[in-house]
Amino acid sequence: MSGINYSSADDDALVKAARQGELAAFEELVFRHRDQIYARAFSMTRHEEDAVDLSQEAWIKGWQRLGQFQGDSSFTTWMTRIVINLCLDHLRKQKRHRTDSIEELEEDSGGVERQMPVVTVNPTAGLERAELRKKIDGALGQLTAEHHTVLVLHEFEDMDYKTIAKTVGCSMGTVMSRLFYARRKMAALLADLRKES
Amino acid sequence: MKLQAFLDGELPEREAREILAWSQRDREAASLLAELRNIRQALAKSEPHLSHPESREFFWSKIEREIQRLKPHPVAAPPRSGFAALRRWLFPAVAVSALVIAGVIAYFQAPTAAVQTVADADAPTVETTLANSDATTYRDASEGTTLVLFSYATDDNPVKKPTAIN
């Protein structure tokens, strides 16, 4: 046992202790970062139960792969990558069983976003942060899995086009067109929400 | 989408300057760029904050149970060299081979003798030693008699003939 105080130790110390087999150190890491990992899983899947299951699976894989964590990035970044990959696998499996709606097929084929009128007024101006978060969350929920995935990876994970393409398994052109559609759709949805309120 | 790539810093410098110039002279391009910029800025500062719906204890209990089920502890570093990896397989393979060879040797060296006894509690017993098929033993407990018959080849007669020892 390392004898460290888990609640006051930093992540590096906890990771080091966990790699020595101290499960309690790993428990502290889970406690600290479970919300963040869950939030990423939810933003990818838009489904609470799936997000809980996938974030749980991510933590178990994190424990199993602790020996591979080199410290090149932060522990949370490393864990986030694990949960993202699990979510992408999950979405791929779902897509195989899913029947696309006509709207989704039009979105995937591209070109629809060019017909959307430009939103000239900033739909988010003047909104309180909490309210803005709520509206954005609602709008994200109306995008297809493919579109909110690229949006999440680009806007929240700061991935560039090439990295997104590699992570998701599609071309850079597809990433660009999905991102373009997702942003235009978000603008339209937020503008509608603003009109309603 | 060139406007988007410009906004995201994905264009080479020369192309980025061209797109910027275009957006400054074309009203529609400028409006679209503004829309994309507004959404990007909104998303940058407004990622939804979510709390895990399960209690800390319950969530951890599920993780811990699965970790315990999947033991041993997986933190051991993988073999760093090819020889180390080879050694992992070589030693067990050698051990198994040694066992197999020992088993084969034991099998072929096992005495081929088998004693067949035709037994009847009251009747005399006859034993034939297969290892030495030249000897046959006749034993009669009631008479207190033991007869051993040997067959051997002689110089005169290469065919074995029995000789009795009482």
Side-chain angles (χ1 to χ4, degrees):
Chain A
M1 296 280 283
S2 61
I4 64 172
N5 183 339
Y6 297 134
S7 58
S8 60
D10 62 20
D11 281 3
D12 288 342
L14 290 173
V15 169
K16 190 176 174 185
R19 285 164 71 126
Q20 300 301 319
E22 292 182 35
L23 202 53
F26 193 70
E27 182 184 1
E28 177 65 25
L29 287 167
V30 172
F31 173 61
R32 284 185 193 180
H33 304 298
R34 69 193 193 113
D35 285 349
Q36 185 175 346
I37 301 304
Y38 166 74
R40 180 56 66 246
F42 184 83
S43 68
M44 301 272 300
T45 61
R46 306 299 307 177
H47 189 273
E48 183 179 289
E49 210 173 299
D50 288 346
V52 167
D53 290 343
L54 289 166
S55 64
Q56 178 183 323
E57 192 177 340
W59 284 111
I60 293 163
K61 280 202 185 302
W63 169 258
Q64 290 179 308
R65 295 176 188 173
L66 268 177
Q68 299 169 25
F69 176 59
Q70 301 295 327
D72 299 334
S73 62
S74 71
F75 178 73
T76 47
T77 299
W78 183 72
M79 277 301 307
T80 303
R81 291 290 180 268
I82 292 176
V83 79
I84 284 172
N85 287 328
L86 286 171
C87 290
L88 288 171
D89 288 342
H90 174 77
L91 290 170
R92 283 187 201 106
K93 282 178 197 162
Q94 276 194 330
K95 188 183 166 94
R96 281 199 285 272
H97 300 294
R98 201 180 70 210
T99 304
D100 290 332
S101 65
I102 291 176
E103 185 184 23
E104 286 166 342
L105 288 169
E106 283 179 348
E107 288 172 3
D108 283 345
S109 68
V112 174
E113 66 278 8
R114 296 192 185 92
Q115 299 165 19
M116 296 179 193
V118 175
V119 176
T120 51
V121 176
N122 186 347
T124 64
L127 290 176
E128 295 290 330
R129 183 164 283 194
E131 193 183 352
L132 178 58
R133 282 202 181 108
K134 192 177 166 189
K135 286 189 187 300
I136 284 175
D137 189 53
L140 277 172
Q142 295 190 52
L143 297 176
T144 65
E146 287 79 13
H147 292 103
H148 74 242
T149 294
V150 293
L151 200 60
V152 165
L153 294 179
H154 189 271
E155 303 301 332
F156 300 153
E157 290 296 320
D158 291 326
M159 286 188 187
D160 60 17
Y161 296 170
K162 188 176 174 186
T163 307
I164 295 173
K166 189 178 172 188
T167 303
V168 172
C170 65
S171 68
M172 273 180 60
T174 301
V175 169
M176 290 171 69
S177 94
R178 286 181 183 170
L179 190 59
F180 187 61
Y181 175 87
R183 279 167 160 163
R184 300 225 59 210
K185 184 76 175 178
M186 287 288 287
L189 288 168
L190 290 170
D192 288 343
L193 287 171
R194 195 179 177 88
K195 283 177 195 167
E196 284 169 14
S197 61
Chain B
M1 281 192 280
K2 286 280 188 181
L3 287 168
Q4 173 179 259
F6 163 73
L7 182 69
D8 292 334
E10 295 272 358
L11 291 179
E13 198 177 321
R14 190 175 67 83
E15 203 173 344
R17 282 200 299 269
E18 290 170 4
I19 297 299
L20 178 61
W22 170 51
S23 69
Q24 287 170 341
R25 63 177 182 266
D26 185 300
R27 191 185 295 179
E28 207 171 312
S31 296
L32 183 54
L33 185 59
E35 179 195 284
L36 294 172
R37 187 176 280 123
N38 287 335
I39 287 301
R40 190 177 169 202
Q41 286 171 351
L43 288 168
K45 58 187 179 184
S46 304
E47 180 175 1
H49 281 182
L50 295 171
S51 295
H52 197 288
E54 294 177 344
S55 73
R56 167 186 179 171
E57 292 75 20
F58 181 63
F59 185 58
W60 172 250
S61 71
K62 293 190 294 178
I63 293 170
E64 185 183 23
R65 191 163 51 242
E66 189 62 15
I67 285 173
Q68 297 292 357
R69 191 182 73 80
L70 293 170
K71 272 187 172 180
H73 191 276
V75 174
R80 293 195 177 269
S81 70
F83 177 71
L86 180 65
R87 195 173 55 190
R88 284 172 61 200
W89 295 104
L90 191 61
F91 285 0
V94 167
V96 169
S97 301
L99 282 172
V100 169
I101 291 169
V104 169
I105 291 172
Y107 175 78
F108 282 109
Q109 284 190 343
T112 54
V115 177
Q116 295 180 350
T117 303
V118 176
D120 184 331
D122 296 323
T125 59
V126 178
E127 294 175 0
T128 305
T129 306
L130 294 179
N132 184 355
S133 58
D134 296 334
T136 303
T137 303
Y138 172 88
R139 187 173 288 123
D140 189 341
S142 61
E143 296 289 331
T145 302
T146 300
L147 186 66
V148 179
L149 298 174
F150 288 100
S151 295
Y152 62 91
T154 63
D155 290 337
D156 295 330
N157 185 358
V159 175
K160 294 178 183 177
K161 65 178 185 180
T163 300
I165 296 177
N166 193 344

